[in-house]
Structure formats: structure tokens, C-alpha cells
Amino acid sequence: MSNSAAGQSSKAKVGASQPSEGSFKRKRGMFQKDLQHMMYGFGDDQHPLPETVALVEDIVVEYVTDMVHKAQDFATKRGRRMTEDFLFLIRKDFPKLNRCTELLSMNEELKQARKAFEVDEEKLATLE
């Protein structure tokens, strides 16, 4: 096997582990309504320019995709992705870290409340 063939096979392996941008088909505009509301909440016009919303959407999707790829790199050592991988990535950004931990604790509280409510429904059903 020649050096050029070996170089091509190693490049193919690298390319195979990370799909190209063209292989991901994203529905553009999927987050536009939400982003418009968020932008308005942060002081933008109630009806921002569609180009601005599209740009913000591209930035957000790129950021989230990058974070997921980085978390996946950490997770390959353990075999699966975990919430802690994302927290590790934002550990130096205290506002994000605090907000994430707050949302995670609120999510846990909601799970517990739903669980208690389901148990109460089961008890009521058996009493009838």
C-alpha cells in the first residue's frame, strides 16, 4: 500500500467519526418564534428583522452543536453522555453554571411533585 493510500484511509476514518456539516439537515427557522420572543425580552424590537433572527439562530445552533460535540468527546471515555459533561464544559462561566444547576434542581423538584401526585391518584383510585 502506498503512502497516499494510507493517508486517504486515515482521512476517511477521521471524516467518518465526525459527520460533515452537509450530512446534518436542519429545518431553518425552527426556533425563530422563540428567538424573537427572547430577543424582545432582552430589549430588541418586538418584530426584529428576519435576517437578524436567522443570524441569531445560526449562532445558537452552532454553539449548541459545538457543546454537544465537546461533551461527546468527554463521554467517549465513559461510554455515554451525562449532564455532568455539560456542566464541566461551562464550569468557568458562572452565570451559565448557576442557571443550569438552578434549572436542574427545579426539574428534579417537578419530577418529585409529579411522582407524589401520581401516587395520590393511585390511592384515590383504590379507595373508590
Side-chain angles (χ1 to χ4, degrees), residues 31-64:
F31 304 110
Q32 282 192 352
K33 258 311 188 206
D34 296 321
L35 286 171
Q36 284 177 346
H37 294 296
M38 289 174 68
M39 290 167 67
Y40 179 63
F42 282 103
D44 202 339
D45 188 64
Q46 189 169 4
H47 302 286
L49 293 173
E51 296 87 2
T52 306
V53 178
L55 177 64
V56 171
E57 181 182 31
D58 288 343
I59 292 168
V60 168
V61 168
E62 183 179 332
Y63 175 78
V64 171

Side-chain angles (χ1 to χ4, degrees), residues 55-100:
L55 177 64
V56 171
E57 181 182 31
D58 288 343
I59 292 168
V60 168
V61 168
E62 183 179 332
Y63 175 78
V64 171
T65 303
D66 184 49
M67 292 294 285
V68 170
H69 286 167
K70 287 178 182 177
Q72 184 63 38
D73 290 343
F74 288 120
T76 54
K77 294 171 186 156
R78 277 190 315 284
R80 66 180 191 145
R81 225 178 355 250
M82 296 175 58
T83 305
E84 289 77 21
D85 297 326
F86 294 100
L87 295 176
F88 177 77
L89 288 172
I90 60 170
R91 69 192 181 279
K92 294 180 182 176
D93 189 344
F94 294 114
K96 281 183 194 165
L97 183 63
N98 290 336
R99 181 65 174 150
C100 285

Side-chain angles (χ1 to χ4, degrees), residues 8-20 23:
Q8 287 175 348
S9 65
S10 66
K11 287 181 184 177
K13 289 177 186 175
V14 171
S17 67
Q18 290 186 358
S20 66
S23 67

Side-chain angles (χ1 to χ4, degrees), residues 104-119:
L104 287 169
S105 66
M106 285 173 45
N107 186 43
E108 193 60 37
E109 287 178 31
L110 288 171
K111 280 183 186 178
Q112 296 300 323
R114 284 189 201 109
K115 192 175 187 180
F117 183 70
E118 289 172 3
V119 170

